[in-house]
Amino acid sequence: MSVSVKFIHAVDPADKGRYEDGEDRQYLYEIQAEGSLAIYEKIGKHLEKGQAPHVVYGPSAWFRVEGDPLGKKDQKPGQVYFA
């Protein structure tokens, strides 16, 4: 499933807030403790340890997200990636 972000304010029409899966990559989201929304690009079976988000939106930029959340299944077994 792709990730779709709904923004609070109007944005540039070129930026629809959609991140499409395909070509062996998948987009996942994580709502961080302070309310920011991080979008990760997973290529292959797992995220790389220490991988930075593809994009981060502050808490005042978005109000809804749809798609696949980042989960333990996206991490290599036995390794801690995110706090």
Side-chain angles (χ1 to χ4, degrees):
M1 176 180 242
S2 302
V3 173
S4 179
V5 181
K6 302 292 183 193
F7 296 103
I8 292 173
H9 300 290
V11 295
D12 181 354
D15 183 10
K16 302 282 188 199
R18 277 195 70 76
Y19 299 89
E20 299 288 340
D21 296 348
E23 298 179 11
D24 197 34
R25 76 174 174 263
Q26 179 183 9
Y27 289 97
L28 308 161
Y29 72 87
E30 177 185 48
I31 300 172
Q32 300 176 334
E34 72 280 356
S36 294
L37 175 65
I39 308 291
Y40 291 89
E41 181 180 49
K42 181 173 86 170
I43 298 174
K45 192 171 181 176
H46 301 288
L47 288 173
E48 294 296 320
K49 186 172 183 174
Q51 179 177 333
H54 180 67
V55 67
V56 177
Y57 296 107
S60 63
W62 67 282
F63 70 92
R64 183 172 52 184
V65 63
E66 298 173 350
D68 291 328
L70 179 67
K72 292 193 183 289
K73 66 179 174 49
D74 303 307
Q75 304 169 8
K76 290 183 181 174
Q79 296 181 350
V80 176
Y81 287 71
F82 309 99

